[in-house]
Structures are given as C-alpha cells and as structure tokens.
Amino acid sequence: MNNVEQLLVNEVFEIYNSKDNDYVFIDVREPQEWELGVIPGITKISLGDIHSKLDELDKEKKYIIVCRSGQRSNNASRMMLQSGFKDVSNFQGGMLDWYDSDFPIEK
C-alpha cells in the first residue's frame, strides 16, 4: 500500500505533455523555491501544508508529486497513499532534473 511509484524526468514530461486531465501535478516545495520556476500550471502546496489540504483534493485523480530532488515529494506521496489516495507517483529527481532537461517552467 505504501509503495510509491517512482517516475523519472522523461516519464513525467511525457505525462505533462499528454495534457491528461486525470493527472494533477503538485509541487510541495517552499514558496521561495517556487520563485526559481515551476512546471507550468502546477498546483503549489508546500509540504508543511499538504496534510491540511488533503480534504480539498479529489482522491479519484492521479497525482504526480514534485519537489527539488524527490525526497520531500516521496514523503508527501506516502502521506497521500496512507490517507486513501489510490494513484500517487513521486517525481524522482524532481525539479533539479526538470531544469537540467531544459523543460518548460513558469516563474
């Protein structure tokens, strides 16, 4: 139950490009980190706030959780699975890999 699927940068970019409305991307970094650039259109909920926001999220959607390198997002992904979310994946490598790949960002 608590095994979090790990996605690499190219897999995340492919899903992002598919514009599949069943997927929700959540960036769990801190606001000052968001200023460095985020995946366009991403939902921003810092890790410290995510637990209090879970009731506002649709448990039927598919989630890809993002942070700087993949550690905080993995913790958030595990928390979401423990809270009854069915389809939660961690972006392993996080925004560091996204930036290195020169994929689109918004500031």
Side-chain angles (χ1 to χ4, degrees):
M1 173 182 146
N2 294 330
N3 263 354
V4 176
E5 182 181 4
Q6 303 294 318
L7 299 176
L8 299 176
V9 66
N10 288 331
E11 296 170 296
V12 172
F13 187 63
E14 187 176 313
I15 294 167
Y16 169 77
N17 269 338
S18 76
K19 307 290 188 219
D20 185 337
N21 288 333
D22 285 338
Y23 282 92
V24 177
F25 288 77
I26 299 178
D27 190 327
V28 297
R29 295 178 298 161
E30 295 300 315
Q32 63 271 22
E33 294 175 283
W34 297 330
E35 293 173 11
L36 301 173
V38 298
I39 296 172
I42 199 166
T43 299
K44 297 177 275 195
I45 306 172
S46 63
L47 182 60
D49 293 335
I50 197 157
H51 192 72
S52 65
K53 302 281 188 184
L54 291 179
D55 287 343
E56 300 171 21
L57 302 174
D58 183 349
K59 290 187 176 178
E60 300 306 312
K61 296 275 188 182
K62 301 173 186 175
Y63 291 90
I64 297 176
I65 312 303
V66 179
C67 71
R68 180 176 168 270
S69 66
Q71 188 168 0
R72 285 175 287 176
S73 54
N74 195 57
N75 292 340
S77 298
R78 198 170 302 129
M79 179 192 314
M80 289 177 72
L81 288 171
Q82 290 169 346
S83 297
F85 288 81
K86 306 277 187 266
D87 195 332
V88 182
S89 301
N90 179 49
F91 179 5
Q92 182 180 336
M95 290 304 293
L96 290 177
D97 285 355
W98 189 270
Y99 297 144
D100 285 348
S101 300
D102 284 329
F103 290 150
I105 60 169
E106 67 182 17
K107 292 187 176 184

